[in-house]
Amino acid sequence: METLSSDNSVELPAQIEVNSPSQQTPEEPIESGIEAVPEGAGKAQHSLLTLEYYQQFFKVDTFMVLRRIRNSMIPKLASGNYLRMDIDQNPDLYGPFWLSITLIFSIAISSNIASYRHYAGNDYHWHYNFQLVSNAATCVFIYAIVLPVVLWALFKDSLKPVLYEELDSASYTPTLLSLICIYGYSLAIYIPVSILCVIEIALIQWLLVIIAALLTGFVLIDVMKPALRNSKYAIFLIIGILSVQFILSAGFLMYFYQDSLVTGTRFLQQVPCYQSPLKTSPRQSLGIKD
């Protein structure tokens, strides 16, 4: 009950200011009412055996795919930290998958066309060789998957010992997905080469595969330069990368285009050469038979 004093004044209860600084002690922190969210709690975790896990590797746009195709065909076009700052941050499987599928059917179709042209003028009953599709698929996927796995293991095993202050830069090795990504994109140049190998001239065919091997080899070495710099076997890895490119290119030509390669060699042999105007020997010119 409130009491009235003699001067008719009313006594009211004291008001406490909630936000007054005097009511807060230094030892007690001010609670904002918002609980901290642990890092990664907003991201859905998917199992390795689910399709949702692999969807993150197909989130690319057309501009990114075209840029990576261009960087895989032209040496020195990508920046020095292209592998670490671009590929490692967002490795995709969309480009490598479709480039591999396109190359498989490109090799199978163009090699059958070359075979047909080889037997076109003969009485041979030509038929399509469907086995070339499976053979091309085996070679392409060994190149795009097995080689990156082997290279990734070699990078991990051959890492140089580094000091603590050099740990950030000198201990860098690319991820397995990054290597699969750059090796998958490196197949892009072989698509036009496989189509041009229909030309039945051996010299042109060999020039095409040598140029393709040189371009892809130098691009791979240039892109993987940060990882090669940290490897104890850098020289051997560089030689191995270039050798694999030449073996792959020569193997594709000699296996899938062997008929057109033989025809192209015969074409070069039939090119007329310079002949001496002296058509008879000195003995024959004197009427003496040899």
Side-chain angles (χ1 to χ4, degrees), residues 190-201:
Y190 290 102
I191 296 175
V193 169
S194 64
I195 297 173
L196 292 175
C197 279
V198 176
I199 302 174
E200 295 183 344
I201 300 177

Side-chain angles (χ1 to χ4, degrees), residues 228-239:
L228 291 170
R229 191 182 298 117
N230 301 332
S231 175
K232 295 183 293 185
Y233 312 127
I235 300 298
F236 299 101
L237 291 177
I238 291 173
I239 296 174

Side-chain angles (χ1 to χ4, degrees), residues 204-225:
I204 295 179
Q205 292 174 331
W206 279 109
L207 283 177
L208 288 172
V209 297
I210 290 174
I211 292 173
L214 285 174
L215 289 177
T216 53
F218 284 127
V219 167
L220 288 173
I221 292 172
D222 185 61
V223 170
M224 291 187 290
K225 190 182 298 182

Side-chain angles (χ1 to χ4, degrees), residues 35-253:
E35 296 181 356
V37 180
E39 185 180 356
K43 299 181 181 179
Q45 301 294 330
H46 300 289
S47 173
L48 189 64
L49 302 178
T50 60
L51 292 177
E52 289 78 5
Y53 176 82
Y54 298 96
Q55 286 179 353
Q56 59 181 324
F57 304 118
F58 290 83
K59 293 181 180 179
V60 291
D61 54 12
T62 304
F63 175 77
M64 181 183 295
V65 173
L66 293 177
R67 180 170 56 85
R68 291 183 173 182
I69 290 176
R70 183 185 59 185
N71 291 338
S72 69
M73 300 173 68
I74 305 176
K76 299 294 183 180
L77 185 61
S79 59
N81 57 355
Y82 175 70
L83 176 60
R84 188 171 185 178
M85 303 304 296
D86 192 330
I87 301 295
D88 267 357
Q89 299 299 324
N90 185 22
D92 77 282
L93 299 179
Y94 178 86
F97 175 78
W98 286 112
L99 286 173
S100 301
I101 297 297
T102 305
L103 179 60
I104 289 169
F105 285 99
S106 176
I107 291 175
I109 294 173
S110 59
S111 60
N112 276 280
I113 292 175
S115 176
Y116 173 77
R117 294 185 60 187
H118 175 71
Y119 294 105
N122 302 331
D123 296 332
Y124 176 76
H125 180 68
W126 182 85
H127 61 279
Y128 191 91
N129 187 1
F130 288 96
Q131 189 178 359
L132 292 177
V133 178
S134 59
N135 294 341
T138 303
C139 296
V140 168
F141 282 110
I142 287 177
Y143 173 85
I145 296 178
V146 177
L147 283 182
V149 172
V150 174
L151 193 60
W152 173 77
L154 290 175
F155 276 136
K156 289 291 185 181
D157 183 65
S158 63
L159 188 64
K160 292 180 181 178
V162 295
L163 301 176
Y164 179 77
E165 56 269 15
E166 301 174 340
L167 191 60
D168 184 38
S169 60
S171 62
Y172 169 72
T173 55
T175 63
L176 177 59
L177 285 175
S178 298
L179 292 176
I180 293 176
C181 180
I182 61 174
Y183 263 86
Y185 276 104
S186 68
L187 292 171
I189 195 172
Y190 290 102
I191 296 175
V193 169
S194 64
I195 297 173
L196 292 175
C197 279
V198 176
I199 302 174
E200 295 183 344
I201 300 177
L203 179 61
I204 295 179
Q205 292 174 331
W206 279 109
L207 283 177
L208 288 172
V209 297
I210 290 174
I211 292 173
L214 285 174
L215 289 177
T216 53
F218 284 127
V219 167
L220 288 173
I221 292 172
D222 185 61
V223 170
M224 291 187 290
K225 190 182 298 182
L228 291 170
R229 191 182 298 117
N230 301 332
S231 175
K232 295 183 293 185
Y233 312 127
I235 300 298
F236 299 101
L237 291 177
I238 291 173
I239 296 174
I241 291 171
L242 288 174
S243 301
V244 168
Q245 297 304 124
F246 279 103
I247 292 173
L248 173 72
S249 301
F252 275 159
L253 179 61

